[in-house]
Amino acid sequence: MTYHYKTKGTCSSMINFDLEEGIVSNISFVGGCNGNLKAIGKILEGWKAEDVIARLKGNLCGRNTTSCADQLALALEKAMNE
């Protein structure tokens, strides 16, 4: 299933991804640091959502209280609980 998550507190405004049987694919970010966010999507392709959450949740960007990676973890948690 394809999910769209509106981010909060980041340069990126939206995260899109597919989640099938707990596996994440087709991760893309709208806005933000284009090269870094494309790399995150490529690196995490095919990972278990629970592993992505464990690695990225709580990751901060500078002085912000979140990051694009943290927002991805939150988006995956939400998707898994739907």
Side-chain angles (χ1 to χ4, degrees):
M1 174 173 247
T2 299
Y3 293 89
H4 309 281
Y5 182 81
K6 177 136 178 63
T7 61
K8 298 174 186 99
T10 62
C11 297
S12 173
S13 60
M14 179 82 63
I15 303 171
N16 305 302
F17 60 92
D18 292 335
L19 184 62
E20 296 292 337
E21 297 181 17
I23 304 298
V24 184
S25 62
N26 300 316
I27 301 166
S28 66
F29 292 80
V30 177
C33 303
N34 189 39
N36 290 334
L37 296 176
K38 282 182 183 176
I40 287 174
K42 288 179 179 183
I43 290 166
L44 299 177
E45 182 74 20
W47 279 36
K48 292 181 185 176
E50 61 191 23
D51 292 339
V52 174
I53 293 165
R55 295 236 177 164
L56 299 183
K57 189 171 181 183
N59 184 64
L60 305 181
C61 182
R63 295 182 181 158
N64 296 332
T65 58
T66 190
S67 69
C68 293
D70 182 54
Q71 290 292 296
L72 176 57
L74 297 174
L76 289 170
E77 281 185 329
K78 182 178 179 188
M80 291 176 61
N81 291 320
E82 287 186 354

mmCIF file of all heavy atoms in Angstrom, residues 27-73:
data_model
loop_
_atom_site.group_PDB
_atom_site.id
_atom_site.type_symbol
_atom_site.label_atom_id
_atom_site.label_comp_id
_atom_site.label_asym_id
_atom_site.label_seq_id
_atom_site.Cartn_x
_atom_site.Cartn_y
_atom_site.Cartn_z
ATOM 1 N N ILE A 27 10.637 4.903 -1.300
ATOM 2 C CA ILE A 27 10.649 6.052 -0.401
ATOM 3 C C ILE A 27 11.050 7.292 -1.188
ATOM 4 O O ILE A 27 12.058 7.288 -1.891
ATOM 5 C CB ILE A 27 11.653 5.838 0.746
ATOM 6 C CG1 ILE A 27 11.308 4.589 1.542
ATOM 7 C CG2 ILE A 27 11.700 7.069 1.656
ATOM 8 C CD1 ILE A 27 12.435 4.128 2.469
ATOM 9 N N SER A 28 10.260 8.354 -1.060
ATOM 10 C CA SER A 28 10.620 9.624 -1.681
ATOM 11 C C SER A 28 10.172 10.766 -0.770
ATOM 12 O O SER A 28 9.173 10.658 -0.067
ATOM 13 C CB SER A 28 10.003 9.767 -3.071
ATOM 14 O OG SER A 28 8.597 9.838 -2.993
ATOM 15 N N PHE A 29 10.951 11.829 -0.784
ATOM 16 C CA PHE A 29 10.678 13.012 0.013
ATOM 17 C C PHE A 29 10.369 14.167 -0.925
ATOM 18 O O PHE A 29 10.995 14.297 -1.969
ATOM 19 C CB PHE A 29 11.899 13.380 0.857
ATOM 20 C CG PHE A 29 12.232 12.389 1.946
ATOM 21 C CD1 PHE A 29 12.919 11.220 1.659
ATOM 22 C CD2 PHE A 29 11.870 12.643 3.260
ATOM 23 C CE1 PHE A 29 13.244 10.318 2.659
ATOM 24 C CE2 PHE A 29 12.194 11.751 4.270
ATOM 25 C CZ PHE A 29 12.875 10.585 3.972
ATOM 26 N N VAL A 30 9.446 15.025 -0.531
ATOM 27 C CA VAL A 30 9.136 16.242 -1.284
ATOM 28 C C VAL A 30 9.812 17.392 -0.556
ATOM 29 O O VAL A 30 9.522 17.654 0.611
ATOM 30 C CB VAL A 30 7.616 16.467 -1.367
ATOM 31 C CG1 VAL A 30 7.305 17.766 -2.080
ATOM 32 C CG2 VAL A 30 6.940 15.279 -2.052
ATOM 33 N N GLY A 31 10.760 18.053 -1.234
ATOM 34 C CA GLY A 31 11.519 19.127 -0.622
ATOM 35 C C GLY A 31 12.668 18.574 0.205
ATOM 36 O O GLY A 31 12.953 17.386 0.186
ATOM 37 N N GLY A 32 13.326 19.445 0.933
ATOM 38 C CA GLY A 32 14.439 19.024 1.778
ATOM 39 C C GLY A 32 15.737 18.907 1.007
ATOM 40 O O GLY A 32 15.872 19.404 -0.108
ATOM 41 N N CYS A 33 16.707 18.270 1.607
ATOM 42 C CA CYS A 33 18.046 18.095 1.034
ATOM 43 C C CYS A 33 18.005 16.959 0.011
ATOM 44 O O CYS A 33 18.146 15.788 0.363
ATOM 45 C CB CYS A 33 19.063 17.789 2.134
ATOM 46 S SG CYS A 33 19.127 19.051 3.406
ATOM 47 N N ASN A 34 17.812 17.310 -1.218
ATOM 48 C CA ASN A 34 17.527 16.355 -2.289
ATOM 49 C C ASN A 34 18.483 15.168 -2.352
ATOM 50 O O ASN A 34 18.041 14.023 -2.340
ATOM 51 C CB ASN A 34 17.514 17.093 -3.630
ATOM 52 C CG ASN A 34 17.019 16.233 -4.761
ATOM 53 O OD1 ASN A 34 16.087 15.460 -4.608
ATOM 54 N ND2 ASN A 34 17.646 16.364 -5.898
ATOM 55 N N GLY A 35 19.767 15.417 -2.398
ATOM 56 C CA GLY A 35 20.739 14.320 -2.525
ATOM 57 C C GLY A 35 20.717 13.393 -1.325
ATOM 58 O O GLY A 35 20.717 12.169 -1.466
ATOM 59 N N ASN A 36 20.727 13.969 -0.126
ATOM 60 C CA ASN A 36 20.718 13.153 1.089
ATOM 61 C C ASN A 36 19.441 12.330 1.207
ATOM 62 O O ASN A 36 19.475 11.160 1.603
ATOM 63 C CB ASN A 36 20.875 14.037 2.330
ATOM 64 C CG ASN A 36 22.253 14.624 2.433
ATOM 65 O OD1 ASN A 36 23.221 14.076 1.926
ATOM 66 N ND2 ASN A 36 22.345 15.774 3.083
ATOM 67 N N LEU A 37 18.315 12.935 0.878
ATOM 68 C CA LEU A 37 17.047 12.222 1.019
ATOM 69 C C LEU A 37 16.882 11.137 -0.044
ATOM 70 O O LEU A 37 16.295 10.090 0.229
ATOM 71 C CB LEU A 37 15.891 13.217 1.014
ATOM 72 C CG LEU A 37 15.916 14.181 2.208
ATOM 73 C CD1 LEU A 37 14.807 15.212 2.090
ATOM 74 C CD2 LEU A 37 15.827 13.430 3.521
ATOM 75 N N LYS A 38 17.402 11.357 -1.235
ATOM 76 C CA LYS A 38 17.402 10.289 -2.243
ATOM 77 C C LYS A 38 18.258 9.124 -1.757
ATOM 78 O O LYS A 38 17.900 7.958 -1.937
ATOM 79 C CB LYS A 38 17.945 10.795 -3.579
ATOM 80 C CG LYS A 38 16.970 11.607 -4.378
ATOM 81 C CD LYS A 38 17.622 12.012 -5.692
ATOM 82 C CE LYS A 38 16.727 12.888 -6.514
ATOM 83 N NZ LYS A 38 17.398 13.343 -7.735
ATOM 84 N N ALA A 39 19.393 9.443 -1.132
ATOM 85 C CA ALA A 39 20.276 8.394 -0.610
ATOM 86 C C ALA A 39 19.582 7.583 0.476
ATOM 87 O O ALA A 39 19.677 6.350 0.500
ATOM 88 C CB ALA A 39 21.571 9.008 -0.076
ATOM 89 N N ILE A 40 18.875 8.262 1.369
ATOM 90 C CA ILE A 40 18.135 7.541 2.420
ATOM 91 C C ILE A 40 17.163 6.554 1.785
ATOM 92 O O ILE A 40 17.079 5.401 2.203
ATOM 93 C CB ILE A 40 17.389 8.530 3.353
ATOM 94 C CG1 ILE A 40 18.388 9.241 4.258
ATOM 95 C CG2 ILE A 40 16.332 7.823 4.183
ATOM 96 C CD1 ILE A 40 17.778 10.337 5.108
ATOM 97 N N GLY A 41 16.432 7.016 0.775
ATOM 98 C CA GLY A 41 15.480 6.135 0.098
ATOM 99 C C GLY A 41 16.141 4.921 -0.532
ATOM 100 O O GLY A 41 15.645 3.804 -0.435
ATOM 101 N N LYS A 42 17.290 5.122 -1.158
ATOM 102 C CA LYS A 42 18.005 4.009 -1.797
ATOM 103 C C LYS A 42 18.557 3.029 -0.764
ATOM 104 O O LYS A 42 18.481 1.818 -0.938
ATOM 105 C CB LYS A 42 19.150 4.537 -2.664
ATOM 106 C CG LYS A 42 18.690 5.218 -3.922
ATOM 107 C CD LYS A 42 19.869 5.740 -4.722
ATOM 108 C CE LYS A 42 19.392 6.409 -5.998
ATOM 109 N NZ LYS A 42 20.511 6.859 -6.829
ATOM 110 N N ILE A 43 19.132 3.572 0.312
ATOM 111 C CA ILE A 43 19.726 2.715 1.343
ATOM 112 C C ILE A 43 18.666 1.858 2.020
ATOM 113 O O ILE A 43 18.893 0.678 2.304
ATOM 114 C CB ILE A 43 20.479 3.575 2.384
ATOM 115 C CG1 ILE A 43 21.740 4.172 1.750
ATOM 116 C CG2 ILE A 43 20.834 2.767 3.626
ATOM 117 C CD1 ILE A 43 22.367 5.284 2.567
ATOM 118 N N LEU A 44 17.499 2.438 2.282
ATOM 119 C CA LEU A 44 16.462 1.736 3.056
ATOM 120 C C LEU A 44 15.531 0.877 2.204
ATOM 121 O O LEU A 44 14.671 0.189 2.753
ATOM 122 C CB LEU A 44 15.643 2.756 3.851
ATOM 123 C CG LEU A 44 16.445 3.578 4.861
ATOM 124 C CD1 LEU A 44 15.547 4.599 5.537
ATOM 125 C CD2 LEU A 44 17.115 2.676 5.883
ATOM 126 N N GLU A 45 15.693 0.894 0.903
ATOM 127 C CA GLU A 45 14.853 0.092 0.003
ATOM 128 C C GLU A 45 14.909 -1.384 0.404
ATOM 129 O O GLU A 45 15.982 -1.980 0.499
ATOM 130 C CB GLU A 45 15.331 0.260 -1.439
ATOM 131 C CG GLU A 45 14.523 -0.486 -2.462
ATOM 132 C CD GLU A 45 13.174 0.143 -2.750
ATOM 133 O OE1 GLU A 45 12.968 1.337 -2.463
ATOM 134 O OE2 GLU A 45 12.309 -0.575 -3.277
ATOM 135 N N GLY A 46 13.743 -1.957 0.680
ATOM 136 C CA GLY A 46 13.649 -3.375 1.012
ATOM 137 C C GLY A 46 13.863 -3.707 2.485
ATOM 138 O O GLY A 46 13.817 -4.866 2.871
ATOM 139 N N TRP A 47 14.089 -2.707 3.310
ATOM 140 C CA TRP A 47 14.277 -2.944 4.749
ATOM 141 C C TRP A 47 12.937 -3.213 5.424
ATOM 142 O O TRP A 47 11.886 -2.756 4.973
ATOM 143 C CB TRP A 47 14.879 -1.721 5.408
ATOM 144 C CG TRP A 47 16.357 -1.561 5.272
ATOM 145 C CD1 TRP A 47 17.135 -1.872 4.198
ATOM 146 C CD2 TRP A 47 17.227 -1.002 6.251
ATOM 147 N NE1 TRP A 47 18.436 -1.540 4.458
ATOM 148 C CE2 TRP A 47 18.522 -1.008 5.705
ATOM 149 C CE3 TRP A 47 17.047 -0.496 7.518
ATOM 150 C CZ2 TRP A 47 19.621 -0.527 6.409
ATOM 151 C CZ3 TRP A 47 18.143 -0.012 8.207
ATOM 152 C CH2 TRP A 47 19.410 -0.040 7.660
ATOM 153 N N LYS A 48 13.001 -3.891 6.552
ATOM 154 C CA LYS A 48 11.821 -4.053 7.400
ATOM 155 C C LYS A 48 11.527 -2.713 8.054
ATOM 156 O O LYS A 48 12.442 -2.036 8.540
ATOM 157 C CB LYS A 48 12.072 -5.086 8.495
ATOM 158 C CG LYS A 48 12.220 -6.500 7.996
ATOM 159 C CD LYS A 48 12.444 -7.413 9.173
ATOM 160 C CE LYS A 48 12.710 -8.830 8.707
ATOM 161 N NZ LYS A 48 13.025 -9.719 9.850
ATOM 162 N N ALA A 49 10.254 -2.340 8.084
ATOM 163 C CA ALA A 49 9.863 -1.065 8.680
ATOM 164 C C ALA A 49 10.327 -0.969 10.128
ATOM 165 O O ALA A 49 10.812 0.080 10.559
ATOM 166 C CB ALA A 49 8.345 -0.885 8.597
ATOM 167 N N GLU A 50 10.228 -2.047 10.874
ATOM 168 C CA GLU A 50 10.638 -2.009 12.288
ATOM 169 C C GLU A 50 12.131 -1.721 12.435
ATOM 170 O O GLU A 50 12.552 -1.047 13.377
ATOM 171 C CB GLU A 50 10.266 -3.303 13.006
ATOM 172 C CG GLU A 50 10.926 -4.530 12.429
ATOM 173 C CD GLU A 50 10.362 -5.840 12.956
ATOM 174 O OE1 GLU A 50 9.218 -5.851 13.414
ATOM 175 O OE2 GLU A 50 11.096 -6.840 12.897
ATOM 176 N N ASP A 51 12.942 -2.171 11.492
ATOM 177 C CA ASP A 51 14.383 -1.886 11.536
ATOM 178 C C ASP A 51 14.667 -0.424 11.204
ATOM 179 O O ASP A 51 15.541 0.202 11.804
ATOM 180 C CB ASP A 51 15.153 -2.801 10.581
ATOM 181 C CG ASP A 51 15.140 -4.256 11.026
ATOM 182 O OD1 ASP A 51 14.897 -4.521 12.226
ATOM 183 O OD2 ASP A 51 15.368 -5.129 10.165
ATOM 184 N N VAL A 52 13.923 0.119 10.247
ATOM 185 C CA VAL A 52 14.071 1.536 9.895
ATOM 186 C C VAL A 52 13.712 2.391 11.105
ATOM 187 O O VAL A 52 14.447 3.314 11.469
ATOM 188 C CB VAL A 52 13.181 1.906 8.684
ATOM 189 C CG1 VAL A 52 13.226 3.408 8.428
ATOM 190 C CG2 VAL A 52 13.601 1.134 7.442
ATOM 191 N N ILE A 53 12.597 2.074 11.747
ATOM 192 C CA ILE A 53 12.151 2.830 12.918
ATOM 193 C C ILE A 53 13.203 2.776 14.019
ATOM 194 O O ILE A 53 13.560 3.809 14.604
ATOM 195 C CB ILE A 53 10.792 2.299 13.419
ATOM 196 C CG1 ILE A 53 9.703 2.583 12.383
ATOM 197 C CG2 ILE A 53 10.440 2.904 14.779
ATOM 198 C CD1 ILE A 53 8.418 1.799 12.589
ATOM 199 N N ALA A 54 13.723 1.595 14.295
ATOM 200 C CA ALA A 54 14.720 1.430 15.359
ATOM 201 C C ALA A 54 15.973 2.257 15.093
ATOM 202 O O ALA A 54 16.583 2.797 16.016
ATOM 203 C CB ALA A 54 15.083 -0.046 15.514
ATOM 204 N N ARG A 55 16.363 2.383 13.839
ATOM 205 C CA ARG A 55 17.590 3.116 13.500
ATOM 206 C C ARG A 55 17.400 4.622 13.398
ATOM 207 O O ARG A 55 18.311 5.393 13.694
ATOM 208 C CB ARG A 55 18.143 2.620 12.167
ATOM 209 C CG ARG A 55 18.586 1.193 12.228
ATOM 210 C CD ARG A 55 19.987 1.078 11.821
ATOM 211 N NE ARG A 55 20.422 -0.310 11.944
ATOM 212 C CZ ARG A 55 21.485 -0.760 11.390
ATOM 213 N NH1 ARG A 55 22.233 0.033 10.671
ATOM 214 N NH2 ARG A 55 21.847 -2.013 11.555
ATOM 215 N N LEU A 56 16.218 5.067 12.948
ATOM 216 C CA LEU A 56 16.044 6.478 12.628
ATOM 217 C C LEU A 56 15.249 7.289 13.639
ATOM 218 O O LEU A 56 15.391 8.513 13.694
ATOM 219 C CB LEU A 56 15.384 6.630 11.253
ATOM 220 C CG LEU A 56 16.145 6.047 10.067
ATOM 221 C CD1 LEU A 56 15.397 6.345 8.776
ATOM 222 C CD2 LEU A 56 17.567 6.574 10.011
ATOM 223 N N LYS A 57 14.399 6.652 14.430
ATOM 224 C CA LYS A 57 13.557 7.394 15.366
ATOM 225 C C LYS A 57 14.426 8.136 16.376
ATOM 226 O O LYS A 57 15.347 7.574 16.953
ATOM 227 C CB LYS A 57 12.582 6.468 16.084
ATOM 228 C CG LYS A 57 11.558 7.217 16.893
ATOM 229 C CD LYS A 57 10.486 6.318 17.427
ATOM 230 C CE LYS A 57 9.478 7.127 18.214
ATOM 231 N NZ LYS A 57 8.465 6.254 18.792
ATOM 232 N N GLY A 58 14.141 9.418 16.534
ATOM 233 C CA GLY A 58 14.884 10.239 17.477
ATOM 234 C C GLY A 58 16.087 10.936 16.877
ATOM 235 O O GLY A 58 16.729 11.748 17.537
ATOM 236 N N ASN A 59 16.411 10.649 15.614
ATOM 237 C CA ASN A 59 17.512 11.325 14.932
ATOM 238 C C ASN A 59 17.124 12.792 14.720
ATOM 239 O O ASN A 59 16.056 13.072 14.207
ATOM 240 C CB ASN A 59 17.769 10.651 13.578
ATOM 241 C CG ASN A 59 18.948 11.236 12.865
ATOM 242 O OD1 ASN A 59 20.068 11.140 13.338
ATOM 243 N ND2 ASN A 59 18.696 11.845 11.718
ATOM 244 N N LEU A 60 17.984 13.714 15.141
ATOM 245 C CA LEU A 60 17.668 15.140 15.049
ATOM 246 C C LEU A 60 18.514 15.819 13.973
ATOM 247 O O LEU A 60 19.573 15.340 13.606
ATOM 248 C CB LEU A 60 17.914 15.819 16.392
ATOM 249 C CG LEU A 60 17.184 15.212 17.583
ATOM 250 C CD1 LEU A 60 17.501 16.000 18.845
ATOM 251 C CD2 LEU A 60 15.688 15.143 17.342
ATOM 252 N N CYS A 61 18.041 16.966 13.506
ATOM 253 C CA CYS A 61 18.742 17.766 12.509
ATOM 254 C C CYS A 61 19.090 19.103 13.144
ATOM 255 O O CYS A 61 18.198 19.914 13.414
ATOM 256 C CB CYS A 61 17.861 17.960 11.284
ATOM 257 S SG CYS A 61 18.647 18.883 9.953
ATOM 258 N N GLY A 62 20.368 19.312 13.403
ATOM 259 C CA GLY A 62 20.794 20.565 14.022
ATOM 260 C C GLY A 62 20.114 20.779 15.361
ATOM 261 O O GLY A 62 20.065 19.885 16.193
ATOM 262 N N ARG A 63 19.539 21.948 15.539
ATOM 263 C CA ARG A 63 18.856 22.293 16.793
ATOM 264 C C ARG A 63 17.374 21.945 16.759
ATOM 265 O O ARG A 63 16.653 22.218 17.723
ATOM 266 C CB ARG A 63 19.031 23.774 17.083
ATOM 267 C CG ARG A 63 20.467 24.135 17.344
ATOM 268 C CD ARG A 63 20.600 25.587 17.677
ATOM 269 N NE ARG A 63 22.025 25.874 17.906
ATOM 270 C CZ ARG A 63 22.550 27.056 17.814
ATOM 271 N NH1 ARG A 63 21.801 28.092 17.493
ATOM 272 N NH2 ARG A 63 23.837 27.229 18.038
ATOM 273 N N ASN A 64 16.916 21.380 15.673
ATOM 274 C CA ASN A 64 15.502 21.011 15.549
ATOM 275 C C ASN A 64 15.157 19.837 16.460
ATOM 276 O O ASN A 64 16.032 19.073 16.863
ATOM 277 C CB ASN A 64 15.167 20.642 14.097
ATOM 278 C CG ASN A 64 15.335 21.815 13.156
ATOM 279 O OD1 ASN A 64 15.196 22.963 13.543
ATOM 280 N ND2 ASN A 64 15.653 21.518 11.913
ATOM 281 N N THR A 65 13.900 19.695 16.745
ATOM 282 C CA THR A 65 13.439 18.590 17.591
ATOM 283 C C THR A 65 13.099 17.345 16.782
ATOM 284 O O THR A 65 12.598 16.362 17.328
ATOM 285 C CB THR A 65 12.205 19.017 18.409
ATOM 286 O OG1 THR A 65 11.167 19.426 17.510
ATOM 287 C CG2 THR A 65 12.548 20.167 19.341
ATOM 288 N N THR A 66 13.365 17.385 15.478
ATOM 289 C CA THR A 66 13.099 16.250 14.592
ATOM 290 C C THR A 66 14.046 16.346 13.402
ATOM 291 O O THR A 66 14.934 17.185 13.361
ATOM 292 C CB THR A 66 11.618 16.239 14.141
ATOM 293 O OG1 THR A 66 11.326 15.011 13.471
ATOM 294 C CG2 THR A 66 11.260 17.406 13.249
ATOM 295 N N SER A 67 13.876 15.475 12.437
ATOM 296 C CA SER A 67 14.631 15.482 11.181
ATOM 297 C C SER A 67 13.793 14.751 10.144
ATOM 298 O O SER A 67 12.777 14.130 10.479
ATOM 299 C CB SER A 67 15.974 14.768 11.345
ATOM 300 O OG SER A 67 15.763 13.382 11.538
ATOM 301 N N CYS A 68 14.221 14.795 8.909
ATOM 302 C CA CYS A 68 13.509 14.038 7.870
ATOM 303 C C CYS A 68 13.552 12.539 8.170
ATOM 304 O O CYS A 68 12.563 11.840 7.973
ATOM 305 C CB CYS A 68 14.102 14.339 6.500
ATOM 306 S SG CYS A 68 13.820 16.050 5.961
ATOM 307 N N ALA A 69 14.689 12.063 8.671
ATOM 308 C CA ALA A 69 14.813 10.644 9.022
ATOM 309 C C ALA A 69 13.869 10.292 10.164
ATOM 310 O O ALA A 69 13.196 9.245 10.135
ATOM 311 C CB ALA A 69 16.256 10.320 9.392
ATOM 312 N N ASP A 70 13.797 11.141 11.182
ATOM 313 C CA ASP A 70 12.889 10.932 12.309
ATOM 314 C C ASP A 70 11.445 10.945 11.827
ATOM 315 O O ASP A 70 10.628 10.107 12.239
ATOM 316 C CB ASP A 70 13.117 12.022 13.356
ATOM 317 C CG ASP A 70 12.252 11.868 14.592
ATOM 318 O OD1 ASP A 70 12.270 10.775 15.205
ATOM 319 O OD2 ASP A 70 11.572 12.844 14.968
ATOM 320 N N GLN A 71 11.121 11.855 10.933
ATOM 321 C CA GLN A 71 9.764 11.922 10.385
ATOM 322 C C GLN A 71 9.422 10.653 9.604
ATOM 323 O O GLN A 71 8.289 10.178 9.663
ATOM 324 C CB GLN A 71 9.598 13.168 9.509
ATOM 325 C CG GLN A 71 9.584 14.466 10.283
ATOM 326 C CD GLN A 71 8.349 14.615 11.140
ATOM 327 O OE1 GLN A 71 7.224 14.682 10.625
ATOM 328 N NE2 GLN A 71 8.543 14.667 12.445
ATOM 329 N N LEU A 72 10.394 10.093 8.899
ATOM 330 C CA LEU A 72 10.157 8.827 8.208
ATOM 331 C C LEU A 72 9.831 7.730 9.214
ATOM 332 O O LEU A 72 8.906 6.946 9.003
ATOM 333 C CB LEU A 72 11.364 8.431 7.356
ATOM 334 C CG LEU A 72 11.280 7.079 6.667
ATOM 335 C CD1 LEU A 72 10.054 6.958 5.762
ATOM 336 C CD2 LEU A 72 12.563 6.796 5.887
ATOM 337 N N ALA A 73 10.565 7.677 10.301
ATOM 338 C CA ALA A 73 10.290 6.679 11.339
ATOM 339 C C ALA A 73 8.874 6.857 11.888
ATOM 340 O O ALA A 73 8.138 5.870 12.070
ATOM 341 C CB ALA A 73 11.322 6.781 12.459
#
